[in-house]
């Protein structure tokens, strides 16, 4: 399995250089994306609040 994991590990290490260059901006981007997705999820839940889900009676 070295043929898979060694190149994969090298690729992942290579991508980390871009994260290091981005610095705090990458963290802020992840916070923004997480917040936006959470707000979207809550809005979808509010839109379907009458739906009882799996346990309808």
């Amino acid at each position: 399995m070295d043929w898979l994991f060694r190149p994969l590990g090298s690729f992942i290490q290579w991508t980390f250089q871009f994260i290091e260059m981005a610095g705090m901006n990458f963290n802020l981007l992840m916070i923004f994306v997480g917040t936006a997705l959470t707000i979207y999820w809550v809005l979808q839940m509010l839109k379907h609040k009458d739906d009882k889900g799996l346990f309808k009676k």
Side-chain angles (χ1 to χ4, degrees):
M1 292 297 283
D2 280 352
W3 61 269
L4 174 64
F5 291 114
R6 290 199 187 273
L8 185 60
S10 297
F11 175 74
I12 291 171
Q13 285 181 340
W14 177 75
T15 60
F16 282 149
Q17 71 183 351
F18 300 111
I19 295 172
E20 289 176 359
M21 283 191 293
M24 188 62 181
N25 294 331
F26 182 74
N27 291 340
L28 294 174
L29 175 67
M30 290 294 108
I31 291 169
F32 174 75
V33 168
T35 302
L37 290 174
T38 301
I39 290 170
Y40 174 76
W41 176 64
V42 169
L43 291 174
Q44 293 300 309
M45 295 293 287
L46 290 173
K47 189 188 327 181
H48 299 289
K49 64 184 174 186
D50 295 336
D51 186 14
K52 300 290 186 210
L54 294 173
F55 305 106
K56 292 182 181 180
K57 287 189 177 188

